[in-house]
Amino acid sequence: MKISYNWLKQFISLDWEVDKTSELLTDLGLEVEGVETFESVKGGLKGVVVGHVLECEKHPNADKLKVTKVDIGNDTTVQIVCGAPNVTAGQKVPVATIGTVLYDGKGEPWKIKKGKIRGEESFGMICAEDELDIGESHDGIMVLSDDLTPGTPCAELFEIESDTVFEIGLTPNRADAMSHYGVARDLRAGLLQKELNLQLITPSVSSFHVNNRTYKIDVEVEDKDLAPRYCGVTIAGVKVGESPNWLKNRLKAIGLTPKNNIVDATNYVLHELGQPLHAFDADKITGDKIIVKTLDAGTKFITLDEVERELSADDLMICDAEKPLCIAGVLGGMNSGVTEHTSKVFLESAYFNPVSVRRTAKRHAINTDASFRFERGIDINFTKYAMLRAALLIQEIAGGEVTADIVDLYPTKFEDFQVFLTYEKVNSLVGQEIPKETIKSILMSLEIKINNVTETGIGLTIPSYRVDVQREADVIEEILRVYGYNKIEINTKLNASVSPTSRFEDYKLQNIIGNQLVAQGFYEIMSNSLTSAGYTALTESLKEEHNVEMLNPLSADLGVMRQSLLFNGLEAVSYNINRRKADLKLFEFGKTYHNYENGRVENKRMSVFVSGNKNAENWLNPIQKGDFFYTKGIVEAILERLGITNLKASPIKTDIFSEGLSLSLGKLKLVEFGLVKKPILKHFDIKQEVLYAEFNWDKVLEAATYNKLKFTDIPKYPEVKRDLALLIDNNITFKEIYNIAQQSERNRLKNVNLFDVYQGDKLPEGKKSYAVSFTIQDNEKTLKDKEIDKIMSKLQSSFEKQLGAELR
């Protein structure tokens, strides 16, 4: 939010340096994020002076140019070549001297230099309005008043205004500071703590009166909950035109483009007092009646930005007897605004329900200065006052007469909040004692009314403009920010207690696994819990009816809470691949959200993504693709690091995985992982394989707590490895080989590992070759060759009988 220092000084007569004011505003909680200088004419016309044309002769080498002699003051006469058709001797004109910097229509600077035009030297430029950026005319040079003295700076003639503009980062709760008046009110409270008692100047509306009662617009509010207060007044005989310079400069300083005197007046009061206003062309109000109501869903309405919008049944509208005119508190309609032909206006000032305005603005993706304020809550007691202020301003700059009594529909008065503040609570939260008189002074400076005072505390009435102050803690926050956080002493003694925590705390295990994965070259990602509702159509396992939907989604792509970490992760994979980062190893801890019949459920998950090569290409190591077995190793290493062993593996094929495994410990299904199906990848424009693992982190935590680690001595006797190359049918899995091996030699067979798979034209049709290694060890003795051969023969025989396997 931009605040003009000159504008601010209209409310409080302050003559402080900019830096001091900026620092005090920040201390008050209105953080100044930047300070910039505004000039009503860029460059401030520095170097542009009044010149007196002494001579004007035709250029000897050009028909349309003239050579002039110009007195620019200080007994200095210069020659200037000018192409303007209206230049003549005896004129007083604006002259840009050598070295002056002017700006074109796009704000680009250009410097006046000594030059030679068609053989004649030129020492400056006689300027037109548009060249000085003080008008739009380029028909010829500006001709100034004859009584001006040559050499007079033109900045003095055209009332060039220089201003300082504060960029304030306003927090959403500070609706009271969304205006120059609100900021001035806070600033005055801060100055009182520095023993500067300055008066807060409020614009007077005492001169407002009804000129006649010849024309009236009736008002009817059908939904009083959505429009608790509605004020209006009719002004006839206005003349729409350009606003005066002072008003245009105020608006330009805070980044607004002046439109016309009526619209500018409403914008001025909006930023002056924080009350949004709207001016209707009264001649376009059919039936001379305003009706505030909702319309049927699907009603078409064209707004000021020329966009046709489809209304919701919850959108509050300002209508006349036949048609809608405006989306209440958000944006006006295409055919109801003020134009150059407008002669009568109906001025609206209202308080609309903040929640209703926010929902409507989000629904139609509209963000205006008015909706910004209505959403956060304006001062309902300022509604009428702001309208009177705007009406007087319109009459001042556009003429006109008030032709009817003020309409003020306010059936149910808002009650101010009552809070009892205890001194003990203030000292407890602040951490030190603030004098009671200082507390009272601060509260009064913030216009918080003191109803009664006791030994223990103060009874308070909170003004209506402080919609964020409703509790005792809120009042203490107000006291502290005005008193000054910097005045609170920091204790030299720090007291703390250390509470015992389990080594199985969620965050501890997350750190362990996170560090392990990072050490293996993975990157942690954090994705949005909001996602697209359309992702449920990519898989049958996720149901649309289980989506947790947002009431006010930011966009269609962020309309529901995610049911899986898969799709957010694939978005990250696609994003990186599109930026030539195709070798990816990612992981994420996050929650998933489901809406079941018996209630909503949150589950903790951890996801792992592998795509592309395992490691970066280098001369020492060949390129190795991240495949299923690499992912399996990563998954098992995660569980092993947490002491979770003796897992049961089950092959799976789902609507997510084309092939995969599920690992369980007893009845706890801990993780599913595998190769993501191509149709899902295609939706994200991913053309390379992606391996994905999703851990049920809640179950992993449970398994880690009761799956105790067992320690054994290092075996005294050596282990032996033997390999078999088995020719088997294509439909046989390694799991079958593993189970048969374990059943055949349970005690001395320590490990079974598949280290090579071959399928090719050198094998019989329907066959494949598995190279399997077996690790054999006896805990009581060293095995002899005969014993090892016997074990291997037993294994081979079991494979032949049960699987029809052959040795290659």
Side-chain angles (χ1 to χ4, degrees):
M1 182 182 72
K2 291 187 175 183
I3 294 294
S4 157
Y5 202 10
N6 288 349
W7 201 340
L8 205 59
K9 291 175 182 178
Q10 291 182 207
F11 298 101
I12 185 168
S13 299
L14 181 65
D15 191 22
W16 261 18
E17 295 94 348
V18 170
D19 290 345
K20 288 179 66 177
T21 305
S22 177
E23 183 179 344
L24 180 55
L25 286 172
T26 299
D27 289 344
L28 289 166
L30 304 177
E31 184 178 0
V32 177
E33 298 177 340
V35 178
E36 59 188 41
T37 299
F38 166 78
E39 293 172 321
S40 56
V41 174
K42 195 167 185 179
L45 297 186
K46 294 174 184 176
V48 182
V49 299
V50 175
H52 182 201
V53 182
L54 303 176
E55 299 178 14
C56 181
E57 304 291 340
K58 182 178 177 300
H59 194 292
N61 302 317
D63 293 337
K64 294 185 178 181
L65 297 179
K66 295 177 182 178
V67 180
T68 65
K69 294 288 193 299
V70 184
D71 176 11
I72 59 172
N74 297 324
D75 298 324
T76 302
T77 301
V78 295
Q79 177 172 293
I80 298 176
V81 177
C82 181
N86 64 328
V87 63
T88 184
Q91 293 174 330
K92 299 290 178 62
V93 293
V95 177
T97 58
I98 300 299
T100 299
V101 177
L102 299 178
Y103 293 84
D104 62 17
K106 297 180 181 179
E108 296 296 326
W110 55 288
K111 192 173 184 179
I112 303 299
K113 300 178 181 179
K114 173 185 174 181
K116 186 174 284 189
I117 303 175
R118 295 290 185 94
E120 294 292 330
E121 289 186 321
S122 183
F123 297 88
M125 184 175 78
I126 303 174
C127 302
E129 278 186 9
D130 63 336
E131 291 167 336
L132 297 178
D133 197 25
I134 59 175
E136 298 181 359
S137 173
H138 193 70
D139 295 335
I141 59 167
M142 289 186 69
V143 180
L144 305 176
S145 175
D146 287 338
D147 58 0
L148 295 175
T149 304
T152 302
C154 284
E156 298 177 6
L157 306 180
F158 300 115
E159 299 178 354
I160 305 302
E161 182 173 347
S162 180
D163 195 359
T164 298
V165 179
F166 301 109
E167 181 70 41
I168 293 179
L170 197 65
T171 53
N173 65 307
R174 292 303 308 276
D176 63 294
M178 293 188 297
S179 66
H180 285 76
Y181 180 77
V183 173
R185 183 169 48 203
D186 250 24
L187 189 58
R188 176 180 176 272
L191 290 169
L192 283 173
Q193 295 307 302
K194 298 185 180 295
E195 299 182 355
L196 289 174
N197 190 358
L198 301 180
Q199 183 181 0
L200 186 63
I201 304 167
T202 306
S204 173
V205 294
S206 59
S207 61
F208 177 88
H209 64 280
V210 179
N211 299 100
N212 56 66
R213 291 176 174 79
T214 57
Y215 180 70
K216 181 184 178 184
I217 298 290
D218 293 320
V219 177
E220 178 185 345
V221 177
E222 291 189 2
D223 197 326
K224 296 176 178 59
D225 291 331
L226 298 184
R229 188 173 190 181
Y230 191 95
C231 300
V233 67
T234 309
I235 307 173
V238 298
K239 186 176 181 181
V240 179
E242 192 174 348
S243 296
N245 286 333
W246 68 265
L247 177 53
K248 291 194 291 185
N249 289 339
R250 287 285 177 269
L251 298 179
K252 286 179 180 178
I254 59 173
L256 297 182
T257 303
K259 304 292 184 184
N260 59 57
N261 48 10
I262 304 297
V263 174
D264 293 348
T266 60
N267 283 334
Y268 182 87
V269 174
L270 165 68
H271 290 276
E272 180 185 49
L273 302 177
Q275 170 68 49
L277 302 154
H278 191 72
F280 296 91
D281 186 330
D283 287 328
K284 297 176 182 177
I285 300 176
T286 305
D288 292 337
K289 186 173 185 179
I290 288 290
I291 306 172
V292 184
K293 62 180 180 178
T294 57
L295 298 176
D296 294 336
T299 302
K300 306 295 183 182
F301 180 66
I302 301 176
T303 47
L304 274 173
D305 53 6
E306 300 183 8
V307 175
E308 183 179 74
R309 304 179 187 276
E310 187 173 301
L311 301 178
S312 162
D314 296 325
D315 293 335
L316 185 66
M317 302 296 295
I318 311 299
C319 308
D320 61 18
E322 294 180 355
K323 62 185 181 298
L325 302 174
C326 174
I327 302 178
V330 180
L331 191 61
M334 182 71 180
N335 300 315
S336 64
V338 173
T339 68
E340 64 272 16
H341 305 296
T342 299
S343 61
K344 292 182 292 191
V345 296
F346 175 73
L347 186 62
E348 168 196 275
S349 180
Y351 178 95
F352 297 117
N353 182 284
V355 175
S356 172
V357 173
R358 178 171 176 78
R359 287 177 176 173
T360 296
K362 292 297 180 185
R363 186 181 297 116
H364 297 291
I366 303 173
N367 183 26
T368 61
D369 284 336
S371 67
F372 178 82
R373 285 160 176 79
F374 278 126
E375 288 172 13
R376 286 156 178 79
I378 61 171
D379 184 2
I380 195 169
N381 291 330
F382 243 37
T383 304
K384 180 179 176 181
Y385 168 73
M387 184 189 69
L388 298 180
R389 168 70 172 147
L392 287 172
L393 184 57
I394 289 173
Q395 287 182 293
E396 177 187 338
I397 62 178
E401 295 181 334
V402 177
T403 61
D405 292 324
I406 294 171
V407 175
D408 185 7
L409 303 181
Y410 190 16
T412 305
K413 300 292 188 292
F414 277 28
E415 296 293 334
D416 291 336
F417 291 107
Q418 304 292 321
V419 174
F420 187 79
L421 177 70
T422 59
Y423 298 125
E424 182 183 358
K425 188 69 171 178
V426 174
N427 299 334
S428 172
L429 288 184
V430 172
Q432 74 181 48
E433 186 174 345
I434 298 177
K436 295 180 181 178
E437 291 305 315
T438 301
I439 291 175
K440 295 175 188 175
S441 172
I442 291 173
L443 293 172
M444 288 188 292
S445 71
L446 293 172
E447 299 181 9
I448 296 176
K449 183 181 178 183
I450 298 176
N451 299 323
N452 55 77
V453 179
T454 68
E455 286 295 321
T456 59
I458 315 172
L460 304 171
T461 298
I462 310 301
S464 57
Y465 66 82
R466 289 314 305 264
V467 294
D468 61 317
V469 180
Q470 301 182 15
R471 306 167 301 165
E472 187 179 15
D474 298 330
V475 177
I476 297 171
E477 181 185 359
E478 292 300 294
I479 294 170
L480 185 54
R481 71 178 180 85
V482 176
Y483 180 73
Y485 289 99
N486 296 334
K487 293 183 181 179
I488 305 302
E489 297 176 359
I490 300 175
N491 278 336
T492 56
K493 182 181 178 182
L494 179 65
N495 297 322
S497 59
V498 179
S499 58
T501 58
S502 168
R503 64 189 181 92
F504 297 109
E505 290 286 342
D506 186 3
Y507 74 93
K508 290 184 178 180
L509 299 189
Q510 282 193 46
N511 287 339
I512 289 172
I513 298 306
N515 290 336
Q516 174 173 311
L517 288 172
V518 168
Q520 293 174 312
F522 281 76
Y523 288 91
E524 184 172 7
I525 62 174
M526 295 179 67
S527 59
N528 199 334
S529 296
L530 299 176
T531 190
S532 170
Y535 286 155
T536 55
L538 300 178
T539 168
E540 294 179 0
S541 58
L542 303 179
K543 306 296 183 183
E544 184 179 355
E545 58 267 25
H546 294 161
N547 279 333
V548 179
E549 298 181 352
M550 296 294 99
L551 293 177
N552 298 303
L554 296 174
S555 68
D557 292 335
L558 300 172
V560 300
M561 306 291 282
R562 64 188 175 192
Q563 292 191 49
S564 170
L565 302 186
L566 172 63
F567 305 114
N568 298 69
L570 290 178
E571 287 176 353
V573 171
S574 176
Y575 182 90
N576 281 274
I577 291 174
N578 290 337
R579 284 151 184 81
R580 303 182 67 81
K581 296 289 184 182
D583 301 330
L584 300 168
K585 295 191 291 185
L586 311 172
F587 72 97
E588 178 180 14
F589 291 96
K591 287 187 175 183
T592 58
Y593 308 85
H594 304 268
N595 187 19
Y596 297 126
E597 289 184 2
N598 55 349
R600 294 174 179 171
V601 177
E602 292 183 17
N603 295 313
K604 191 70 174 286
R605 296 284 189 261
M606 186 187 82
S607 62
V608 174
F609 293 86
V610 175
S611 187
N613 299 321
K614 290 192 288 187
N615 299 302
E617 182 180 359
N618 62 67
W619 66 274
L620 187 60
N621 296 317
I623 294 176
Q624 291 184 319
K625 190 176 180 182
D627 55 14
F628 179 86
F629 296 101
Y630 172 73
T631 307
K632 180 174 182 285
I634 295 295
V635 169
E636 290 179 341
I638 290 171
L639 298 174
E640 215 171 282
R641 180 65 183 84
L642 299 176
I644 303 173
T645 56
N646 300 320
L647 297 167
K648 178 183 177 182
S650 305
I652 56 171
K653 284 189 177 182
T654 68
D655 52 353
I656 292 177
F657 300 115
S658 57
E659 56 179 303
L661 278 180
S662 170
L663 299 183
S664 304
L665 181 66
K667 294 182 179 180
L668 298 179
K669 184 181 288 186
L670 303 181
V671 58
E672 289 184 348
F673 64 93
L675 190 64
V676 180
K677 283 188 172 181
K678 290 184 177 179
I680 295 178
L681 298 180
K682 185 178 180 181
H683 182 83
F684 295 90
D685 196 28
I686 300 174
K687 297 180 175 62
Q688 62 190 49
E689 289 185 348
V690 176
L691 291 130
Y692 169 64
E694 181 165 303
F695 292 79
N696 186 332
W697 191 251
D698 294 322
K699 301 296 184 184
V700 170
L701 293 177
E702 183 180 344
T705 57
Y706 67 71
N707 198 55
K708 306 299 183 184
L709 287 173
K710 294 180 180 179
F711 297 92
T712 58
D713 293 334
I714 297 174
K716 296 179 181 179
Y717 303 100
E719 63 182 28
V720 178
K721 284 190 176 181
R722 291 287 188 270
D723 300 338
L724 291 178
L726 301 173
L727 185 65
I728 55 178
D729 293 338
N730 279 337
N731 62 340
I732 295 174
T733 64
F734 170 68
K735 182 181 178 184
E736 295 176 81
I737 295 174
Y738 180 89
N739 290 339
I740 292 171
Q742 291 291 338
Q743 293 168 5
S744 300
E745 188 60 43
R746 185 182 303 275
N747 295 326
R748 289 183 288 189
L749 186 62
K750 302 300 181 183
N751 189 34
V752 182
N753 182 47
L754 176 65
F755 64 89
D756 187 43
V757 178
Y758 174 72
Q759 290 176 299
D761 53 6
K762 295 182 180 180
L763 297 180
E765 187 176 350
K767 297 288 185 178
K768 62 182 176 182
S769 174
Y770 270 9
V772 185
S773 68
F774 303 88
T775 302
I776 306 168
Q777 186 181 44
D778 194 313
N779 296 328
E780 305 294 333
K781 63 180 181 179
T782 301
L783 291 171
K784 296 180 180 180
D785 286 344
K786 287 185 178 180
E787 292 174 302
I788 296 169
D789 292 342
K790 183 178 180 182
I791 292 171
M792 295 304 298
S793 295
K794 184 178 178 182
L795 290 172
Q796 180 182 340
S797 177
S798 298
F799 294 145
E800 290 174 350
K801 288 179 181 178
Q802 297 185 45
L803 302 177
E806 301 176 26
L807 289 182
R808 287 188 65 203

